[in-house]
């Protein structure tokens, strides 16, 4: 976990060089494209309902064209930069540049990271997008990114690994601006303070239990966030394995709070709260053929309610995916699947509308 900010497009298992010479430069990249077909009438590929029957219900899309450089400038110091060139298709303001940080490692017990990185607050922060077992990040991860707890933020973090009796655990403590990536400056004096603890409970089944908690201040209002997650990897035999992820979070939805006109919103922002949970099992079959490495089958279930106290309209999403891996460590992969979105109340002309989406996604890591 203490290396989570440096593996966004790096392959696992790379060997360290004995008696290395510095600086060492490492270049990596990721290409990911997808074809989407919306199968619900009057709902476009982004999930937006059009009462006037307009909207695009099928589209090719380049999601990521990432390039990453990592410079190990001494035994303890590294600098990393990660950019997504596909973001140039949008307004590049506050986009494109993702990672930009310096990390200094005192020992396995303590390392400091400063700059723009992903603060460790939840399970999905601990691995890059290119090894996601499903279609994309969970809806929960996306919403908590808007709130400043996850995704790329600017600040400082301390990470490391310690021992609690016979149980090893990882920790992370972060303080960030909480207003997203590539900002010219912070938008107020408040900060987001968060911590994450992960306990390695059962080594045989790679059973880990994580706890997350955070407090902060936005425009002189107090906010909070909490979460818990569990992962496990069970190998039935050399070919078959089952990977399971379960995560739940709850927080103040201060973005929604401040989007409400001042005359209508209460004094306490905790009246606006977000709550979500997802479960993602993934079955993997190792083939290790020269042209096909493995097959994977996953089905993620998500429940998310962005304002469960005042105006509850929960969203439930089921995403079955089938993947073919052609090179190890997802060097080349094709995924096919569906995404089924269901709301308690469908609202016309909004993205809160029941819809189905067919997905074909290809990627290559280099």
């Amino acid at each position: 976990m203490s290396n989570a900010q440096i593996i966004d497009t790096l392959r696992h298992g790379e060997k360290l060089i004995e008696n290395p010479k510095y600086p060492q430069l490492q270049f990596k990249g990721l290409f990911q494209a997808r074809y989407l077909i919306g199968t619900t009438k009057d709902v476009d590929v982004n999930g937006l309902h059009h009462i006037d029957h307009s909207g695009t219900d099928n589209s090719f899309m380049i999601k990521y064209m990432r390039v990453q450089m990592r410079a190990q400038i001494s035994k303890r110091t590294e600098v990393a930069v990660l950019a997504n060139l596909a973001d140039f298709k949008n307004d590049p303001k506050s986009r494109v540049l993702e990672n930009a940080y310096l990390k200094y490692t005192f020992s396995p017990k303590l390392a400091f990271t400063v700059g723009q990185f992903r603060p460790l607050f939840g399970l999905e922060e601990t691995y890059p997008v290119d090894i996601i077992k499903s279609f994309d990040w969970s809806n929960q991860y996306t919403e908590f990114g808007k709130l400043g707890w996850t995704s790329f933020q600017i600040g400082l973090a301390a990470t490391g690994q310690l021992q609690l009796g016979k149980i090893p655990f990882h920790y992370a403590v972060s303080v960030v601006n909480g207003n997203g990536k590539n900002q010219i400056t912070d938008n107020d004096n408040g900060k987001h303070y968060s911590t994450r603890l992960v306990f390695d409970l059962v080594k045989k089944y790679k059973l880990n239990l994580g706890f997350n908690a955070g407090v902060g201040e936005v425009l002189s209002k107090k906010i909070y966030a909490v979460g818990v997650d569990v992962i496990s990897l069970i190998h039935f035999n050399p070919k078959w394995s089952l990977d399971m992820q379960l995560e739940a979070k709850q927080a103040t939805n201060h973005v929604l709070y401040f989007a409400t006109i001042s005359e209508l919103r209460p004094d306490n922002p905790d009246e606006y709260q977000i709550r979500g949970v997802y479960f993602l099992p993934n079955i993997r079959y190792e083939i290790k053929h020269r042209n096909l490495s493995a097959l994977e089958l996953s089905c993620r279930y998500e429940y998310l309610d962005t304002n469960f106290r005042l105006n509850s309209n929960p969203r439930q999403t089921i995403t079955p995916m089938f993947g073919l891996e052609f090179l190890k460590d997802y060097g080349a992969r094709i995924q096919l699947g569906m995404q089924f979105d269901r709301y308690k109340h469908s609202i016309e002309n909004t993205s809160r509308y029941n819809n189905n989406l067919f997905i074909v996604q290809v990627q290559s890591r280099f």
Side-chain angles (χ1 to χ4, degrees):
M1 188 183 79
S2 62
N3 291 326
Q5 282 84 27
I6 66 172
I7 61 170
D8 280 281
T9 54
L10 300 184
R11 298 181 187 275
H12 297 287
E14 293 179 340
K15 296 182 179 179
L16 298 177
I17 302 173
E18 294 183 3
N19 301 319
K21 295 181 179 180
Y22 300 103
Q24 295 177 3
L25 299 180
Q26 191 176 54
F27 294 90
K28 295 292 179 181
L30 167 70
F31 170 79
Q32 189 181 90
R34 54 186 59 161
Y35 178 62
L36 307 174
I37 300 177
T39 62
T40 304
K41 184 180 179 181
D42 299 331
V43 178
D44 65 24
V45 293
N46 295 313
L48 179 63
H49 178 255
H50 298 262
I51 197 171
D52 60 358
H53 312 297
S54 62
T56 302
D57 61 9
N58 70 94
S59 177
F60 290 99
M61 179 188 301
I62 298 177
K63 180 65 175 179
Y64 292 102
M65 184 59 250
R66 275 181 163 176
V67 290
Q68 174 174 288
M69 184 185 75
R70 176 188 171 203
Q72 191 78 31
I73 60 178
S74 74
K75 181 180 179 180
R76 299 180 183 275
T77 309
E78 65 185 63
V79 179
V81 60
L82 174 67
N84 181 19
L85 303 183
D87 273 340
F88 278 116
K89 65 180 181 288
N90 304 301
D91 182 355
K93 184 179 179 181
S94 76
R95 294 177 179 267
V96 184
L97 183 64
E98 296 184 332
N99 274 338
Y101 65 81
L102 180 146
K103 182 176 181 181
Y104 187 85
T105 303
F106 287 95
S107 72
K109 296 180 179 180
L110 178 62
F112 285 103
T113 303
V114 61
Q116 183 168 288
F117 55 91
R118 293 200 293 160
L120 293 173
F121 190 88
L123 179 61
E124 291 177 281
E125 298 284 11
T126 63
Y127 54 81
V129 67
D130 24 330
I131 65 171
I132 286 179
K133 309 296 183 181
S134 191
F135 167 51
D136 209 336
W137 302 113
S138 69
N139 301 323
Q140 176 191 119
Y141 177 85
T142 302
E143 292 299 322
F144 274 71
K146 297 175 184 177
L147 299 175
W149 299 109
T150 61
S151 193
F152 300 98
Q153 306 291 334
I154 301 173
L156 171 69
T159 56
Q161 180 176 343
L162 299 171
Q163 198 84 8
L164 181 64
K166 295 183 179 180
I167 301 177
F169 73 94
H170 305 266
Y171 74 89
V173 179
S174 306
V175 52
V176 298
N177 289 338
N179 61 332
K181 61 186 179 182
N182 303 330
Q183 302 297 323
I184 297 175
T185 185
D186 200 356
N187 57 357
D188 77 316
N189 289 325
K191 295 290 182 286
H192 285 42
Y193 302 89
S194 63
T195 184
R196 174 170 171 79
L197 297 175
V198 180
F199 297 91
D200 303 334
L201 299 181
V202 183
K203 185 176 181 180
K204 180 181 179 181
Y205 300 114
K206 294 185 177 179
L207 177 63
N208 292 351
L209 175 63
F211 297 97
N212 313 280
V215 294
E217 184 177 296
V218 178
L219 300 177
S220 301
K221 295 292 185 179
K222 303 295 183 179
I223 62 171
Y224 85 98
V226 293
V228 62
D229 53 81
V230 181
I231 61 170
S232 180
L233 176 59
I234 302 172
H235 289 279
F236 300 109
N237 55 49
K239 289 185 176 291
W240 288 96
S241 62
L242 173 63
D243 182 1
M244 293 179 288
Q245 303 175 10
L246 175 65
E247 182 169 13
K249 288 197 185 86
Q250 182 170 312
T252 309
N253 193 338
H254 58 272
V255 172
L256 184 60
Y257 174 79
F258 286 111
T260 306
I261 60 175
S262 58
E263 290 81 4
L264 297 180
R265 66 187 183 218
D267 184 62
N268 185 3
D270 284 341
E271 292 297 314
Y272 291 74
Q273 292 208 24
I274 180 173
R275 176 186 290 170
V277 62
Y278 76 85
F279 176 59
L280 173 57
N282 180 74
I283 297 176
R284 181 179 175 88
Y285 178 70
E286 300 280 353
I287 295 178
K288 297 182 180 179
H289 187 271
R290 63 176 183 173
N291 294 323
L292 183 61
S293 178
L295 303 176
E296 288 190 332
L297 180 64
S298 70
C299 186
R300 183 170 63 194
Y301 168 79
E302 302 181 59
Y303 178 94
L304 181 70
D305 196 337
T306 58
N307 191 13
F308 67 87
R309 282 190 172 177
L310 292 182
N311 188 21
S312 179
N313 188 16
R315 172 186 183 181
Q316 298 186 71
T317 305
I318 299 176
T319 312
M321 296 292 293
F322 174 70
L324 299 93
E325 181 183 333
F326 296 97
L327 297 173
K328 64 179 182 179
D329 294 329
Y330 299 111
R333 178 168 67 160
I334 296 177
Q335 293 175 284
L336 299 93
M338 289 287 297
Q339 180 172 286
F340 304 95
D341 267 322
R342 296 295 180 269
Y343 290 86
K344 185 176 181 180
H345 308 289
S346 285
I347 303 174
E348 293 183 339
N349 274 341
T350 72
S351 58
R352 296 187 296 276
Y353 199 91
N354 292 347
N355 68 89
N356 305 323
L357 185 69
F358 176 71
I359 304 152
V360 180
Q361 183 165 275
V362 297
Q363 78 171 42
S364 177
R365 305 172 77 193
F366 57 90

